[in-house]
C-alpha cells in the first residue's frame, strides 16, 4: 500500500570507520532533493542501523563504508532486516568498495553500490527511481 509523503532514508556509518564526509554529502543531497533523511552518526552497529530504520519507518538504508568491512557489514544488515521481516527496506551503499566485491554484494541483496566519484545527482536519481514507498 503506497504511503504518502517523502521517501525516508537512513544514512549510516557502520563499524569502526570514522570518516563521514561522504555520508554527510549524500545525506544533504537526498535532503535537498526533498527526502527525509535520518543520519545515524559514526560507529553504528548493524543492529542499531536496522533498529533505526524500522523505528523511523524508513524506505531505504544507505550505508557508507570506508573501512574494508563492507562484505561483513552489508551481509549483517541484510540478515537483520530479514529476521525482522523488514526486507522491503532497500539497502544501498557506497565508499571504498573494490569492483570485484560489487557483484557479490548485489547477490547478497544490496540494491546498488556507489563508488568514489559518483555524482550526488546520480545517487538522488537512483533513490527516486528505485525506492518508492509501497512498491516492491
Amino acid at each position: 500500500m503506497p504511503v504518502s509523503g517523502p521517501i525516508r532514508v537512513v544514512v549510516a556509518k557502520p563499524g569502526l570507520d570514522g570518516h563521514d564526509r561522504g555520508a554527510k554529502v549524500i545525506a544533504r543531497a537526498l535532503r535537498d532533493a526533498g527526502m527525509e533523511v535520518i543520519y545515524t552518526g559514526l560507529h553504528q552497529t548493524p543492529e542499531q542501523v536496522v533498529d533505526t530504520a524500522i523505528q523511523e519507518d524508513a524506505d531505504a538504508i544507505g550505508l557508507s563504508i570506508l573501512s574494508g568491512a563492507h562484505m561483513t557489514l552489508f551481509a549483517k544488515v541484510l540478515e537483520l532486516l530479514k529476521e525482522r521481516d523488514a526486507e522491503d527496506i532497500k539497502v544501498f551503499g557506497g565508499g571504498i568498495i573494490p569492483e570485484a566485491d560489487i557483484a557479490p554484494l548485489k547477490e547478497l541483496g544490496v540494491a546498488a553500490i556507489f563508488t568514489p566519484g559518483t555524482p550526488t545527482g546520480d545517487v538522488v536519481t537512483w533513490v527516486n527511481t528505485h525506492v518508492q514507498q509501497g512498491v516492491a
Side-chain angles (χ1 to χ4, degrees), residues 23-97:
K24 288 179 177 177
V25 167
I26 293 299
R28 184 177 190 133
L30 296 174
R31 184 205 66 196
D32 290 351
M35 297 175 208
E36 289 186 15
V37 178
I38 300 92
Y39 175 59
T40 63
L42 294 169
H43 310 299
Q44 300 295 296
T45 66
E47 291 81 5
Q48 289 171 313
V49 172
V50 170
D51 285 347
T52 300
I54 291 170
Q55 290 170 4
E56 294 289 342
D57 197 26
D59 302 299
I61 296 171
L63 298 178
S64 172
I65 304 173
L66 304 173
S67 65
H70 49 275
M71 297 302 290
T72 302
L73 293 168
F74 276 111
K76 186 64 176 174
V77 166
L78 291 164
E79 174 189 322
L80 291 167
L81 287 171
K82 185 174 184 176
E83 287 175 8
R84 303 275 305 268
D85 196 28
E87 291 175 284
D88 59 321
I89 300 173
K90 288 206 189 240
V91 176
F92 66 97
I96 306 298
I97 299 171

